[in-house]
Every structure is written in structure tokens, then in C-alpha cells.
Amino acid sequence: MRSRHVISSLDLTRDDYFRIFELADKFSNVKKLNYLSGKVISLAFFEPSTRTAQSFHTAAIKLGADVIGFESEESTSIAKGENLADTIRMLNNYSDCIVMRHKFDGSALFASEISDIPIINAGDGKHEHPTQALIDLYTIYKVFGEIDGRTFALLGDLKYARTVNSLLRALTRFKPKKVFLISPSQLKVRREILDGLNYPVIETENPYDVIQDIDVLYVTRIQKERFVDEVEYEKVKESYVVDLRLVSMMKKDGIILHPLPRVTEIDRRVDKTANAKYFYQASLAVPVRMALFYEVLGERKDD
Amino acid sequence: MISSSKRDELIVSKIRNGTVIDHIPAGRALAVLRILGIRGSEGYRVALVMNVESKKIGRKDIVKIEDRVIDEKEASLITLIAPSATINIIRDYVVTEKRHLEVPKQIRGLIKCPNPQCITNNDVEAESKFTTVSIKPLKLKCDYCEIYITEDDVIRQIL
């Protein structure tokens, strides 16, 4: 891989993505391997997480690594006033890789400047979540057999959703036909993300205008915790609901993805449709993260 | 007939030793003084000319400060709000050095990231770091949270 750290989707090349997909295929049905035996992986989750933390934990165990760390700030010395830099220095001494989730934007990059061992960004504020983008793209790859040439739509909170930023950036390594960005005007994708994209992007507010063209509908939750102003949240919290009517207008083989957790933005009756792939998507998290660990920490011929 | 440059000289006399900051965009002289931490009580003899004619930039401000040198950090900050400015070092009434300022490619620790959720506002060791995206108009990008900031944001921080 080009970079030892995985802070942004842009740290991975197109070849990196495909190599990780191939490895994920290989790791899909294995019970346990010893590829990372003797390695210690730190899970530094300064912000609450269930599925991301657990899937990283499972991936590490399945490759034979030992796992240390924490899953909330309260159980760490941060609660006593220790700064992030010192916590990273400490974990740096104990382990071979740090998987980090943190509420502040840019915290993963800051940690990578301090750490001698690889940092994997498991979500930094509203900035990026590159391993989720890996899972998203792997799901599309598994369903369609390819990523290039597809029409995408990202729906919901496109301003504060870090998974959206990472997915949009990851798509620069592929050749999407076009990407619709569907959001209320207050929650449009931030300019600094849009500026780096190299494929056609169309912003709109109404999913019904474009639903019939879409191969991949990526739905996000409007995240209360990211809003500084609660009044702003109240105005937009239920802007979109993906319901059976909307889904009935999709292409027959179009798919719906969601990084989860889902609240009200997808009607539960949609879960039973053939288009709903978000639980399948979640099931791919462990092999993808095993593949990434192997890429970052595994023995390689060029080492 | 008195030329415009002569008229300006009549407003402010020459200084013996110190610094003349010329070609400041009109109306920005007070912000330049703010960058230099000059509020009037420090004892420096300071002369300020605002909104005078300039062949180069239309209208300009000039700041003259006696017995005061400008360091690199101050010069970098001045470039952000007055990219056209020149700094002239005066010794015995003569300009001994003329510095044309350039907006640096990277700006470290000089300005705060306006994003309260940026790590640089939340960890004692995280120093702000901006990369210059464009000079005209000024656009800087935080290396950590990637937020864009403009000249107005910089001026707001200074004033």
C-alpha cells in the first residue's frame, strides 16, 4: 500500500482497493487464521461504536492478533485530562497498529503524525471513515461484479456524514457514470469534498426525479450528534424516508445501501425487498477489515 | 501643481529608522497594526495614511513605524490580509531593504481553524496548519479538518 496509515479513502489506490477485495473474498468463510499471530492491535474508540468496534475486534481475532484498547473515553485517562497525543504515544508502545475513532475532525491525521505504528481511521468526527467506504465498495463489487459505469445516488445528510465523504473520495479511484447528491439545501456536500471529485456530480433535493436511473442508492441517517444547532436538526431530521413507493420506482437490480445504524430513514418494510442490501453490506465488514489488517500488518514479499 | 506622492509626503514625514509597510489594500492598515500588536500605548511613533492613490493598486494604505522591526511570523500574517504589501526597512532615512511579500504555501500556528470540532482546537499539542489553495481570492484549507477559510475569516480573527 502507498501509505502505512489509512486516514482517508484517498490513501488507497485503485489497485489497493482491488487487492483488498480479493483478500476479503479469501477471508470470507474462514474460522481462524494465524497470519497476525504475535501482533497486538489497539482499538482506541474515544467515541461510542458498536458494529465498527466489534467488527474490527473480530477481524483482528480471526487473523490471530491480540487486541487491547477501550471503547469509550470515560474508561481512559482522557477522562482524567490526558490529551490525545499522550494516549497515542502510550498505545504506540504497546501495540503494532492503532484503530482509532474520535469525535474531532482531523484527529486521525494528528495521531498519525505522532505514531510510529500504522493508524487506521475508524471515523474522525464528520471528516472521514475510509474503512466504511471499503465495505460499501466491496458490497457493490460483490453484487454487480464491478464498480465502474454505475450510477450512484447518495441521500440524506451529506454535510455531516463522514461515510459520504469517504465514499465520494473512494469513487475517484473508479469511473462512476454519474453521482446524484440528494439532500436538503442545508445538508449539501461540503465544498472541500466536492472540489476533489473527478466524475460527474449532480445535486438535487428530490429523489423521485432521479430514482429510476440509480444502480446504487446510498442512504444516510441525519445525525443529531453532528449538529451544533438543534433548531437546524429539527428542521431537517425527517427530510427523507425511503419507502416502498420510492423503491418500486427503482431499477429492478438497483440496490440500497446504508452504513447503519438506521433510524427512520428507511421504512422497515423495505428490508424484505430484493433491493435492500444494507444487512448484507454489514455482514461484509469483518472480511474487509481482516483484509485491511493483513495489508497493513501482514508479512509481504517486498518487506 | 503638487503630485499625489508629494501630497502624501506632506501628510506624513519621513522616518529615520524603522519600517514602512506600503501598498496595503485600502482600509487594511488598522488590521496590519493589529497584527503587529500596536495599539498606541507601546510608545512607538506610528504614522498611518489611508486611502491614498496608488498606481499599482488604485487606493492604498501606508503604515510607518519608527524603531520597530517586523519578524517573519508577522510578515506571513500580513501577506494573508495584504498580499500586495511591501515592507521597507529604513536606516538613516534611506530604504536599505525592500521585501515583497508572498503568501506562504503552508501556514503553521498563525491562525486558528474556525471549526470548533477541529482537533487543532481540542488538543494542546495540535498546532493549526493550513495549505494555501488560492491567493486571489485568498483560500486556505485546514490540513486536519479540511475546512476552507477565506480572507474575511482571517481578518475576522485579527480584528
Side-chain angles (χ1 to χ4, degrees), chain A residues 83-86 89 102-107 109-110 113-114 124 126-128 169 191-192 195, chain B residues 108 115-120 122-127 129 133 139 141 143-148:
Chain A
N83 68 334
L84 171 62
D86 284 351
R89 285 186 187 104
H102 202 284
K103 66 184 171 187
F104 292 131
D105 308 334
S107 51
L109 178 64
F110 174 59
E113 291 170 347
I114 290 160
D124 62 328
K126 58 183 181 298
H127 182 227
E128 278 228 40
R169 288 177 159 181
R191 182 42 59 188
E192 61 265 27
D195 278 353
Chain B
R108 277 170 174 268
N115 170 11
Q117 295 300 309
C118 178
I119 186 67
T120 58
N122 293 283
D123 193 285
V124 287
E125 285 186 50
E127 189 183 43
K129 200 159 57 174
V133 178
K139 187 154 86 171
K141 185 178 183 176
D143 281 14
Y144 293 96
C145 72
E146 300 193 52
I147 199 171
Y148 282 150

Side-chain angles (χ1 to χ4, degrees), chain A residues 66-83:
Chain A
D66 291 311
V67 178
I68 61 167
F70 49 87
E71 287 182 24
S72 79
E73 208 169 87
E74 288 71 35
S75 61
T76 70
S77 292
I78 294 272
K80 298 179 199 162
E82 183 175 65
N83 68 334

Side-chain angles (χ1 to χ4, degrees), chain A residues 135-137 139-140 143 152 167 216-220 255-260 266 275-278 280-281:
Chain A
I135 296 161
D136 303 337
L137 290 181
T139 310
I140 297 161
V143 173
F152 295 78
L167 179 57
V216 180
L217 176 64
Y218 191 87
V219 186
T220 64
I255 63 171
I256 304 163
L257 301 182
H258 190 303
L260 303 178
I266 301 180
N275 310 86
K277 295 289 183 212
Y278 29 91
Y280 173 62
Q281 175 191 8

Side-chain angles (χ1 to χ4, degrees), chain B:
Chain B
M1 205 171 130
I2 302 171
S3 71
S4 62
S5 61
K6 264 276 185 268
R7 254 196 341 249
D8 299 341
E9 275 179 31
L10 291 175
I11 297 170
V12 181
S13 62
K14 288 187 170 184
I15 58 169
R16 180 172 187 160
N17 291 306
T19 307
V20 175
I21 306 165
D22 199 356
H23 299 108
I24 302 166
R28 298 274 167 89
L30 293 173
V32 169
L33 286 183
R34 184 60 67 91
I35 288 169
L36 300 175
I38 293 174
R39 288 164 195 267
S41 55
E42 297 78 14
Y44 295 114
R45 275 162 54 109
V46 177
L48 200 74
V49 191
M50 293 177 86
N51 292 307
V52 295
E53 284 152 33
S54 158
K55 278 184 198 150
K56 253 189 183 172
I57 57 169
R59 290 203 161 264
K60 67 176 183 179
D61 292 357
I62 307 167
V63 171
K64 298 185 178 192
I65 315 152
E66 206 144 44
D67 298 325
R68 171 73 152 82
V69 195
I70 289 177
D71 66 28
E72 212 174 303
K73 186 177 163 183
E74 290 166 336
S76 294
L77 261 177
I78 290 169
T79 62
L80 298 180
I81 60 149
S84 53
T86 48
I87 295 178
N88 302 311
I89 311 297
I90 313 291
R91 286 195 189 94
D92 261 335
Y93 298 106
V94 177
V95 177
T96 56
E97 194 189 329
K98 207 176 185 74
R99 279 195 258 159
H100 287 276
L101 302 180
E102 265 181 33
V103 177
K105 287 195 180 90
Q106 277 236 320
I107 297 136
R108 277 170 174 268
L110 288 179
I111 37 177
K112 258 170 73 86
C113 179
N115 170 11
Q117 295 300 309
C118 178
I119 186 67
T120 58
N121 291 315
N122 293 283
D123 193 285
V124 287
E125 285 186 50
E127 189 183 43
S128 76
K129 200 159 57 174
F130 290 89
T131 299
T132 304
V133 178
S134 77
I135 295 171
K136 271 186 186 172
L138 185 75
K139 187 154 86 171
L140 310 175
K141 185 178 183 176
C142 172
D143 281 14
Y144 293 96
C145 72
E146 300 193 52
I147 199 171
Y148 282 150
I149 68 167
T150 63
E151 198 168 291
D152 285 348
D153 296 316
V154 177
I155 289 174
R156 254 198 301 275
Q157 278 195 33
I158 291 166
L159 294 177

Side-chain angles (χ1 to χ4, degrees), chain A residues 228-260:
Chain A
V228 181
D229 182 353
E230 199 160 328
V231 179
E232 196 196 345
Y233 169 73
E234 289 298 325
K235 277 189 219 158
V236 294
K237 66 178 182 185
E238 281 170 5
S239 299
Y240 301 110
V241 176
V242 175
D243 55 15
L244 289 174
R245 184 173 155 243
L246 186 71
V247 175
S248 71
M249 295 165 78
M250 283 185 80
K251 284 181 179 178
K252 209 173 157 214
D253 63 348
I255 63 171
I256 304 163
L257 301 182
H258 190 303
L260 303 178

